[in-house]
């Protein structure tokens, strides 16, 4: 048995642990906009009930129809069929992983990756890592969108082939995601043979089902959007997204009969309101559908940088049909039916609000036309604005992840974009607020807590985790923190989830101030000192665990300093969040500050 907390007379009674905390956390400029219209209903309710629901579905070989039925039959929080007290027994043993498929948009290769692209991709990564902590089998997909007029023109302008241009730019996305430590399972490129084959198989099916017909199109087209507009869509005569003139075009092409899907889409969103999030965007989509849907053009003869229609190869596929189908290609549509059946329908399509209509209207209708199920959830977040404006090449206001990583590190980068604003409304990015948040949350609150607790444990307890802990107020708060974070992350509200963890960090710092272990130590009360530090070290373990999906490097380093084997990622929630997981006797390592302050 180890001493509770041994007093080493060689250790000086330094008071470095009594560092005062600057806490500008509540400075309003650090927070994203709060828009009550952005309410989010988690698909299936709270994380716990969502998770439980998932334990009960997608067993190997199980059909999705049943899942669908299960899902509609019972809403989260309602008592299950056998639940007298509202608790539903887990229908399957907990060692069967749930499957979870999440995607980002595939990014156009006419642009290089900027913080707007990275925003969606980091969010997808955080939800991926979070679900993996619960033992879920996650498939995280991102990639690049490489066909279309813009790419053809960009390549022509540079005197290279479209493929050469696509190869060069796609590689920059791959590199950026590697730099940001994105844990994607696949990176799809629409110029890959697997995609061409899958798109052609699907198109043939939709054509055979009678939902693709030939027609003449005359109208307005915005090249940067790769989209057609009506007069009503334009703002002051310009494209509503790019604020630039649109082209007038007359073409013979194939049309997708979207007009036939209005009622089915309305029925779908009525039966599955969680399928379009947040609520404000769902209302937008429903309003749009109710105005009446028009058939849309899905082929071109004027360009050849695309996938030829299998029944009429003079036409290439219109970019949205091609691009959207990447989500199905990647999980084996047309090549591996069993695999496809395991992963489809997708759980989350994460997108920016700019491509809402394509994902929430065109895409489910296309899937229905091809006999496939619509996505379980499309989640549209707002834009990251710079100086109040959307980033664009022409405005020269793009910010690149690499430049910020150089200043803030990978964890500092990832933390900022997840914590600074809610994933839903628009939010403004500013370098100054990034510095302020980094210093306040990471250097002061998180870093200082780790530093002072480890320092005190080394100085007062000989660098060994004591075998005593008070099991004081932090125990309950840690449990509440996990519950609040799980609930928020289930709604993709990363900022609130992280705020809950930072409340625990602040509470632990206050607990240290109140219980003053340095004074207990000075008074020679080794047991009381151990009680307090035992609790604080346990909180550090829980914090390392809960922050690991967002700041994987600092979390792993804190884990190591606590003498814990492996990495937080190897742990399993919810069990690992239970109080008391830090073994007494672990050898501590105080290390250098995890987040050195940044002077602006
Ligand atoms: N290629 C299409 C998507 C096809 S998906 C089947 C496309 N590509 S894009 O390169 O323009 O990327 C759009 C996505 O990038 C947005 O939906 C969003 O996820 C992300 N963002 C790009 N700029 C952004 C901001 N300024 N702010 C937040 N996210 C933005 O559209």
């Amino acid at each position: 048995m180890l001493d509770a907390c041994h007093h080493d007379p060689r250790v000086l009674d330094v008071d470095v642990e009594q560092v005062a905390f600057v806490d500008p956390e509540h400075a309003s400029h650090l927070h994203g906009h709060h828009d009550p219209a952005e309410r989010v209903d988690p698909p299936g309710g709270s994380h716990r009930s969502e998770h439980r629901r998932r334990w009960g579905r997608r067993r190997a070989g199980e059909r999705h129809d049943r899942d669908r039925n299960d899902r509609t039959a019972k809403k989260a929080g309602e008592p299950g069929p056998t639940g007298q007290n509202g608790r539903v027994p887990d229908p399957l043993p907990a060692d069967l992983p749930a499957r979870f498929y999440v995607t980002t948009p595939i990014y156009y290769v006419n642009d290089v990756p900027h913080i707007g692209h990275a925003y969606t991709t980091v969010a997808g990564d955080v939800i991926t890592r979070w679900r993996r902590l619960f033992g879920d089998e996650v498939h995280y997909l991102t990639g690049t969108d490489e066909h279309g007029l813009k790419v053809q023109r960009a390549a022509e302008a540079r005197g290279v082939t479209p493929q050469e241009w696509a190869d060069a730019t796609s590689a920059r996305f791959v590199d950026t995601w590697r730099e940001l430590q994105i844990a994607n399972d696949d990176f799809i490129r629409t110029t890959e043979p697997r995609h061409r084959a899958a798109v052609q198989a699907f198109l043939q099916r939709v054509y055979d089902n009678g939902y693709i017909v030939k027609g003449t199109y005359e109208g307005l087209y915005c090249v940067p959007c790769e989209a057609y507009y009506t007069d009503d869509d334009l703002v002051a005569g310009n494209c509503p997204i790019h604020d630039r003139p649109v082209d007038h075009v007359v073409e013979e092409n194939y049309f997708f009969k979207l007009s036939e899907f209005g009622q089915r889409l309305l029925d779908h969103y009525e039966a599955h309101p969680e399928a379009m999030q947040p609520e404000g965007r769902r209302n937008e989509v429903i309003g749009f559908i109710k105005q009446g849907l028009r058939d849309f053009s899905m082929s071109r003869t004027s360009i050849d940088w695309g996938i030829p229609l299998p029944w009429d190869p003079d036409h290439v596929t219109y970019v949205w049909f091609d691009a959207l189908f990447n989500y199905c290609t990647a999980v084996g549509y047309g090549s591996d039916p069993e695999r496809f059946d395991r992963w489809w329908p997708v759980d989350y399509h994460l997108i920016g609000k700019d491509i809402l209509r394509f994902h929430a209207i065109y895409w489910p209708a296309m899937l229905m036309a091809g006999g496939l199920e619509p996505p379980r959830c499309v989640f549209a977040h707002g834009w990251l604005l710079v100086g109040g404006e959307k980033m664009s090449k022409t405005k020269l206001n793009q910010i690149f992840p690499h430049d910020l990583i150089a200043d803030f590190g990978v964890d500092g980068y990832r933390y900022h974009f997840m914590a600074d604003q809610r994933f839903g409304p628009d939010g403004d990015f500013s370098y100054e607020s990034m510095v302020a948040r980094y210093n306040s949350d990471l250097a002061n609150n998180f870093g200082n807590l780790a530093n002072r607790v480890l320092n005190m444990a080394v100085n007062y307890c000989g660098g060994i985790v004591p075998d005593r802990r008070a099991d004081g107020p932090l125990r309950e708060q840690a449990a509440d923190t996990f519950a609040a974070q799980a609930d928020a992350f289930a709604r993709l509200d990363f900022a609130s989830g992280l705020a809950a963890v930072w409340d625990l960090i602040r509470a632990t710092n206050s607990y240290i101030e109140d219980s003053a272990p340095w004074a207990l130590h000075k008074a020679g009360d080794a047991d009381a000192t151990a009680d307090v530090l035992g609790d604080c070290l346990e909180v550090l373990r829980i914090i390392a665990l809960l922050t690991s999906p967002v700041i994987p490097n600092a979390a792993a380093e804190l884990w190591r300093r606590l003498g814990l084997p492996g990495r937080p990622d190897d742990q399993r929630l919810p069990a690992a969040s239970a109080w008391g997981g830090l073994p007494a006797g672990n050898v501590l390592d105080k290390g250098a500050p995890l987040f050195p302050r940044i002077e602006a």
Side-chain angles (χ1 to χ4, degrees), residues 105-108 114 116-117 119-120 145 320 323-324 326-327 351-352 354-355 359 381-384 390-391:
I106 48 169
Y107 303 108
Y108 284 135
H114 56 61
H117 305 121
Y119 186 51
T120 324
D145 189 354
W320 280 102
L324 285 161
N326 87 86
Y327 303 131
I351 58 163
D354 46 336
I355 52 177
H359 280 79
H381 62 75
W383 281 339
L384 272 185
K390 187 167 188 253
M391 276 175 288

Side-chain angles (χ1 to χ4, degrees), residues 400-419:
F400 304 104
H402 181 78
D403 298 332
L404 294 176
I405 294 169
D407 291 352
F408 298 93
V410 171
D411 286 355
Y413 183 100
R414 295 169 56 104
Y415 176 75
H416 181 75
F417 289 99
M418 292 300 97

